[in-house]
Amino acid sequence: MNATWEPATPGVLRLPSGRLVRGRGLRHPLPDGQLPTFGLYLLGHEPPPVDWESRWLRWPDFRLPADRADAAEALRAAWDRTETERVEVACGGGVGRTGTALACLAVLDGVPRREAVSYVRTHYDRRAVETPWQRRFVTRFP
C-alpha cells in the first residue's frame, strides 16, 4: 500500500526522512481532502468511531499517557505505518498531546531528543507540547 498524505494537506508534518503524518484536534471539523488510513487517538476517554483503522491511547488532557510502555509501542507502530499509509495523530485540541506524540515520532525518525520539541514547534504548531512534563517525556522517549 502506498497511500501517503499530500504535503499541502493542513496539519501535515514532514519528518526529516520525508515521511508525512497529520496532526489535528478532534474538536475541530475533519479537514477536507484525503482521509487517514490509520488514526492514533490520544484521549482520556474512548474516541468516537471512525471509518478507518484506529487505535486509542489513554492519554488525559495536559498529562502523559496512562501506560508509557503501551504509548511507546503505539507510537512506534504509527511511525512504521507512516512509510506507506496516511497516519493521523489527534487529541482534543491538536496541540499538547498531539504535539508530544509528533515529537516522539520525530525522535523515531532521527531527530535528537533534545531538539524534537523545537522541530515540531517549527514545522507543525508553535504551541505544540504544552507542559514541562510533556517536554520531559519527549527527552526521555522511548
Side-chain angles (χ1 to χ4, degrees), residues 14 41 60 80 142:
R14 179 180 295 277
Y41 300 110
D80 286 341

Side-chain angles (χ1 to χ4, degrees), residues 21-39:
V21 58
R22 179 171 79 185
R24 79 174 177 102
L26 295 172
R27 291 191 296 263
H28 308 293
L30 185 66
D32 291 335
Q34 299 172 299
L35 295 175
T37 54
F38 176 76

Side-chain angles (χ1 to χ4, degrees), residues 13-17 79 102-120 123 138-139 141-142:
L13 171 68
R14 179 180 295 277
L15 296 168
S17 67
W79 180 80
L102 292 175
C104 291
L105 295 182
V107 169
L108 292 171
D109 204 64
V111 175
R113 287 179 181 89
R114 299 229 177 258
E115 297 172 21
V117 170
S118 178
Y119 183 87
V120 171
H123 299 284
V138 173
T139 62
F141 183 81

